[in-house]
Amino acid sequence: MVSTLVYFGANTPDGSVAPAEWQDFVDAEVTPRFPDGFSFWSASGQWRSSSGVIEREPSRVLNVVHAGRADESRALDEIARAYRERFQQESVLHLETQGCARF
C-alpha cells in the first residue's frame, strides 16, 4: 500500500481558504476520486516561495492510503492541480510512503 500526504496551503491572494470552501473542495474533488476513504486535518506550515521568501501559513493535510496504481496517482495529481487553480496556489506538496496496511 501507499500512504500519500498532500499538503495544501490555505493563504490565497485574497485572504485564506475558509473551512466551507475547503469542505466544498473535498466534496467536489477528493471524495469522487477516493470514495473508499481518506483523512484530513489542519496544520501550520512554512515553505520558501519561488521568490525566495519564507511563507508561513495555515495548511490542510490530506492522507490517502491506496494501492499505488497509476489511476490513483493521476487522481492525486488532478486534486493538486484543481486546488492550485481554484485557490491560486504556487504549489502543493505530495509525499508518498510505501508500507503495509491491515484493516
Side-chain angles (χ1 to χ4, degrees):
M1 299 295 287
V2 176
S3 176
T4 300
L5 296 174
V6 186
Y7 295 80
F8 302 92
N11 286 348
T12 70
D14 301 323
S16 64
V17 178
E21 292 175 303
W22 168 253
Q23 190 61 58
D24 286 344
F25 177 79
V26 168
D27 293 345
E29 302 292 342
V30 183
T31 301
R33 290 178 173 94
F34 293 98
D36 289 341
F38 52 86
S39 298
F40 63 84
W41 57 89
S42 297
S44 298
Q46 177 176 308
W47 65 290
R48 185 182 309 272
S49 70
S50 62
S51 65
V53 174
I54 298 293
E55 303 282 347
R56 293 177 181 88
E57 64 183 312
S59 305
R60 291 184 178 87
V61 181
L62 170 69
N63 182 213
V64 182
V65 177
H66 55 93
R69 296 186 319 261
D71 63 319
E72 294 165 325
S73 291
R74 256 190 320 277
L76 288 158
D77 288 342
E78 291 166 357
I79 290 167
R81 184 173 30 260
Y83 190 85
R84 284 193 310 269
E85 291 172 5
R86 183 183 293 199
F87 299 112
Q88 302 172 340
Q89 297 292 298
E90 183 176 325
S91 65
V92 171
L93 172 67
H94 295 216
L95 174 63
E96 292 189 355
T97 305
Q98 293 193 6
C100 186
R102 287 188 294 252
F103 293 96

